[in-house]
Amino acid sequence: MNAPVPTQKGANAALGMSTFAFTACFAVWTIFSIIGVQIKQELGLTEAQFGLLIGTPILTGSLIRVVLGVWADQYGGRLVNLFVMLSAAAATFALSYAETYLQFLVAALGVGIAGGSFAVGVAYVSKFYPKEKQGTALGIFGAGNVGSAVTKFAAPFVMVAFGWEFVAQAWAAALALIAVVFYLTTKDDPDLVRRRETGEKPQAAWMQLSPLKSLQVWRFSLYYFFVFGAFVALALWLPRYLVGVYGLDIKTAGMIAAAYSIPGSLFRVFGGWLSDKIGARKVMYITFGVSLICTFLLSYPATSYVVDGIEGPIAFRLATDLVTFTVIAFVLGFAMSLGKAAVFKHIPVYYPNNIGSVGGLVGMIGGLGGFVLPIAFGFLNDITGVWTSCFMLLFVLVATALAWMHFAIRRMERARTPELGRLPELPEMAAIHPTPEPASPAPGGRLRAAE
């Protein structure tokens, strides 16, 4: 029996500081969820234009994840993360000087660099831990998503007091400071240290990208498109949604939206631990099942009915009040948090030598959800005039992901154990089915099913 692989020296500092740095990056990455509301009013933007504005940083942070993941494997996550954070800080500071819609979009592209820190952190942190602990470790790291809630809690008050320009400048300064602290308090990952000692060259980029041809990787990417992409999209969209549907002010809307963001981030730690204990596949079933119910309930628009009663028309109205909405959003965020950890539990297990590239692609597709979905939400609002259309779209998305996962798993199980295909669909009907004849040997010693 093989002895368990020990946790590498410096793992706690790497995990703790990476999580802290990712929290700061995520706070910057989602800054438009708050300041974008005031910018929308100042520029007179449509819903679709607003969706594009808040989604543009997500586009940059998603597209660069594959490249940054490969660089993290080649040059070390510590150095690459320093570069990412300082670049994002500079772009965020420059944002405060934008005046036109086009200038805001260009600045938002630079702000989005902060989102690339996720792929770097996954590749960096996972190399300090053995497989049986990677789910928990990456779950803790992924809890840095709570940076979205930090922005929702703090930015509205800062913006009301000093203006949105000061929010951008303050967030940029904090990110630059945390970048320096991160670099000074961590050490290079074990793989990079070993390569330096032995003179081994890093794996070529084209070899690291070869697993991306696997359909399984793209299936994982669809999962993450929902559990992470939809999480980011809703984190950006909910303040606007709450202002429009319930007539809240931006400070109250930001606080309530955090009720969605916080469980969607912090419970990722529990999702990682649970994936280590019961398996990532079971956790994904829980995630998709609960999310399917929540998005269905949130999809139902406020509706007034008139029923022809015995003594005349009976009028009543069905609508989700603010408290009920917040509770369901909390549950949805919790389910997504489990799924985010479970998806990335798969990657070091299936692709231990390509964590950066595979994690980068999965993270990229998930991040693209955070870009595409807010635009889709705004577009659906413009063409349907129904606020809950965003949740209708998410219902279709999670139903598709659940169906693909289930049928893929069934296909793999039948391929691994072909005798399952000869069993009756219902156990109680076994008595009326003939017992399958045992398989007979085929030429070459292989078993052949009885005909």
Side-chain angles (χ1 to χ4, degrees), residues 141-428:
F141 168 72
N145 289 163
V146 77
S148 173
V150 172
T151 290
K152 288 184 177 65
F153 274 125
F157 296 95
V158 177
M159 185 173 70
V160 170
F162 304 103
W164 68 263
E165 295 89 349
F166 185 81
V167 175
Q169 293 171 358
W171 265 233
L175 185 61
L177 177 62
I178 293 171
V180 175
V181 173
F182 163 80
Y183 188 78
L184 294 178
T185 56
T186 56
K187 59 187 297 183
D188 291 326
D189 65 76
D191 282 3
L192 182 62
V193 173
R194 177 183 55 79
R195 291 203 307 268
R196 285 174 177 169
E197 293 175 349
T198 61
E200 177 186 349
K201 293 184 178 180
Q203 188 180 34
W206 67 269
M207 292 184 64
Q208 293 189 24
L209 296 174
S210 60
L212 305 189
K213 296 181 291 186
S214 170
L215 183 62
Q216 182 187 54
V217 174
W218 293 92
R219 179 159 53 86
F220 293 162
S221 298
L222 175 63
Y223 302 167
Y224 209 61
F225 187 88
F226 174 75
V227 296
F228 178 74
F231 165 80
V232 173
L234 287 177
L236 295 169
W237 187 256
L238 279 180
R240 170 69 183 130
Y241 182 91
L242 292 168
V243 169
V245 175
Y246 298 104
L248 305 179
D249 61 80
I250 187 60
K251 291 187 291 185
T252 306
M255 297 287 285
I256 294 178
Y260 164 79
S261 299
I262 290 177
S265 305
L266 297 182
F267 285 115
R268 186 167 181 161
V269 180
F270 176 67
W273 175 85
L274 194 64
S275 297
D276 283 339
K277 294 298 181 182
I278 70 173
R281 180 181 298 177
K282 293 180 180 178
V283 175
M284 290 307 302
Y285 270 114
I286 295 172
T287 291
F288 288 151
V290 173
S291 298
L292 197 69
I293 296 172
C294 290
T295 53
F296 175 79
L297 294 175
L298 295 174
S299 296
Y300 202 86
T303 310
S304 298
Y305 294 92
V306 177
V307 177
D308 292 333
I310 297 176
E311 299 181 358
I314 302 174
F316 63 95
R317 179 178 174 81
L318 291 179
T320 303
D321 59 47
L322 182 58
V323 174
T324 304
F325 177 88
T326 304
V327 171
I328 298 176
F330 184 96
V331 174
L332 178 61
F334 172 74
M336 285 178 162
S337 69
L338 301 184
K340 283 185 286 187
V343 171
F344 270 86
K345 168 65 177 177
H346 289 85
I347 295 173
V349 175
Y350 283 97
Y351 306 97
N353 298 320
N354 305 94
I355 299 173
S357 59
V358 175
L361 176 71
V362 173
M364 180 188 77
I365 299 300
L368 284 176
F371 168 72
V372 172
L373 290 175
I375 299 174
F377 294 164
F379 180 73
L380 287 173
N381 270 11
D382 286 340
I383 65 172
T384 67
V386 178
W387 277 106
T388 59
S389 57
C390 58
F391 294 106
M392 297 177 188
L393 176 60
L394 295 183
F395 175 80
V396 173
L397 178 60
V398 68
T400 302
L402 176 60
W404 191 7
M405 181 182 75
H406 179 70
F407 288 114
I409 291 172
R410 289 289 301 274
R411 186 167 55 251
M412 288 188 294
E413 289 175 342
R414 291 186 177 185
R416 186 175 302 167
T417 53
E419 60 273 14
L420 291 177
R422 298 192 296 271
L423 295 176
E425 290 291 335
L426 302 174
E428 58 269 25

Side-chain angles (χ1 to χ4, degrees), residues 50-113:
F50 174 72
L52 177 60
L53 177 63
I54 65 175
T56 295
I58 312 305
L59 175 64
T60 309
S62 303
L63 294 179
I64 64 175
R65 285 185 171 189
V66 175
V67 174
L68 291 178
V70 172
W71 285 356
D73 280 339
Q74 290 185 320
Y75 308 113
R78 179 166 168 256
L79 179 63
V80 175
N81 209 30
L82 176 68
F83 164 76
V84 167
M85 296 176 73
L86 292 179
S87 299
T92 305
F93 188 84
L95 167 67
S96 62
Y97 293 96
E99 296 179 352
T100 66
Y101 184 60
L102 180 59
Q103 290 174 348
F104 278 111
L105 290 178
V106 172
L109 287 172
V111 172
I113 296 174

